[in-house]
Amino acid sequence: MLENKLSGKMKYFSILAYIVLYIGIAQFLIPKIYSFFMKDDFVLKLNVLKIVSFLICLLLNWLILKQKVYLKSTFDSKCLPTIFFTFAALLFVSGLFAKYFWLGLDIGLLAAISEEYLFRGVLLGWTVKMINRNKITYFKMWISIFIPSVLFGLAHLTNIHYQGLSATLVQVIQVSGIGFIIGAIYFKTGSLLISMLFHFIWDFYLVSHVGNVFNKTAVSWPMFVVAVTFMLLFILVGTFIISKHPQKNHLLQKIIDL
């Protein structure tokens, strides 16, 4: 019994160590180093940051958490993938004629791969395993997706270096909701590749049409209301995804071995 308690505490310590080391190295140390060499080229700096962050995630997961990441889907329904891929194709085609196509392609790919590996592959996978290991309930399934989604949103607080506080807070709220839908997709399909595709299409569409993901103008309070509304809508959609045919939540099946 004592060994089991110690083992459980070490698992919580390991995730804390993983997060602290990742933030310290990828978000603070690396940017300080490369800022001396790439002072003006924002796109190059972002590319370097995403690539290095991804490599750090891989290394820390291998050294500390050893959380398995699932790429191949075992989802057997044809309806959801058909709707999803049709929607993704329409957005991608619309981006082909956008002004910032190559920038959207660049940022979309790097953000999708690095961020999905960290927040869905590692963190969501770990929370699903730890929270649902003894008894599986709807609330436990929901909260195991909600926690990484909030962390995903909070990670965008670093954008305050490039935009105002109000715009950053609105972005954090919106991204938390988007993260819940992406997490629900991974939870349902058991494939991180599908989550990466959804993330890529979202970022690609925004960046290819706007040119960046930052808003340097002040945000009024009605925008906060809109952001919260969309966040709640995204969470409702994600909740519907995981609650419909719960026995077919394939990530849970893979991790818990149902």
Side-chain angles (χ1 to χ4, degrees):
M1 180 67 70
L2 179 59
E3 289 182 355
N4 290 335
K5 288 183 177 180
L6 290 174
S7 176
K9 289 181 178 179
M10 285 302 297
K11 288 179 180 178
Y12 287 106
F13 175 77
S14 66
I15 189 65
L16 180 62
Y18 180 93
I19 293 173
V20 170
L21 285 172
Y22 171 78
I23 293 175
I25 298 173
Q27 299 300 320
F28 288 97
L29 181 60
I30 299 301
K32 290 291 185 183
I33 293 174
Y34 71 55
S35 63
F36 289 104
F37 305 98
M38 297 171 286
K39 294 185 179 296
D40 300 320
D41 196 333
F42 171 76
V43 175
L44 179 60
K45 288 167 65 175
L46 186 62
N47 275 264
V48 172
L49 176 61
K50 292 301 181 183
I51 293 172
V52 173
S53 297
F54 177 61
L55 295 176
I56 291 172
C57 285
L58 286 172
L59 179 62
L60 290 177
N61 189 33
W62 178 67
L63 291 173
I64 301 175
L65 288 183
K66 305 185 186 303
Q67 174 61 47
K68 186 175 181 179
V69 174
Y70 302 91
L71 299 177
K72 184 178 179 180
S73 175
T74 54
F75 193 67
D76 53 4
S77 174
K78 296 181 179 179
C79 180
L80 183 60
T82 300
I83 296 173
F84 171 74
F85 284 113
T86 301
F87 175 72
L90 289 174
L91 286 182
F92 185 76
V93 169
S94 70
L96 290 174
F97 306 98
K99 181 179 180 181
Y100 304 100
F101 170 80
W102 293 110
L103 181 62
L105 190 66
D106 177 28
I107 294 179
L109 281 172
L110 290 176
I113 294 172
S114 61
E115 293 176 7
E116 287 309 302
Y117 180 84
L118 171 61
F119 291 102
R120 254 61 67 180
V122 176
L123 296 183
L124 191 149
W126 187 88
T127 55
V128 168
K129 178 174 63 178
M130 295 301 295
I131 292 176
N132 296 278
R133 57 183 174 173
N134 295 323
K135 182 180 179 181
I136 300 171
T137 65
Y138 278 112
F139 177 73
K140 285 185 175 183
M141 289 191 294
W142 188 90
I143 202 69
S144 62
I145 299 174
F146 180 76
I147 293 173
S149 303
V150 172
L151 293 175
F152 180 53
L154 292 175
H156 287 73
L157 283 172
T158 56
N159 290 343
I160 198 170
H161 296 295
Y162 312 104
Q163 61 187 8
L165 175 60
S166 59
T168 302
L169 293 177
V170 166
Q171 191 175 51
V172 167
I173 294 169
Q174 292 174 331
V175 168
S176 297
I178 295 167
F180 193 92
I181 286 187
I182 301 176
I185 291 172
Y186 183 41
F187 195 81
K188 175 64 71 175
T189 64
S191 171
L192 191 65
L193 290 178
I194 297 178
S195 298
M196 286 179 175
L197 177 60
F198 185 93
H199 191 148
F200 163 72
I201 291 297
W202 184 275
D203 281 357
F204 167 75
Y205 181 80
L206 291 178
V207 176
S208 63
H209 285 80
V210 179
N212 60 69
V213 293
F214 305 120
N215 181 10
K216 296 185 178 181
T217 60
V219 175
S220 60
W221 69 264
M223 285 303 300
F224 281 94
V225 176
V226 172
V228 171
T229 302
F230 272 102
M231 180 191 69
L232 294 176
L233 179 61
F234 292 150
I235 291 176
L236 283 175
V237 173
T239 302
F240 173 78
I241 291 174
I242 65 173
S243 62
K244 187 174 178 60
H245 304 303
Q247 71 278 9
K248 294 184 179 180
N249 287 322
H250 291 269
L251 179 65
L252 190 64
Q253 294 176 353
K254 291 177 177 180
I255 293 178
I256 308 298
D257 294 324
L258 297 178

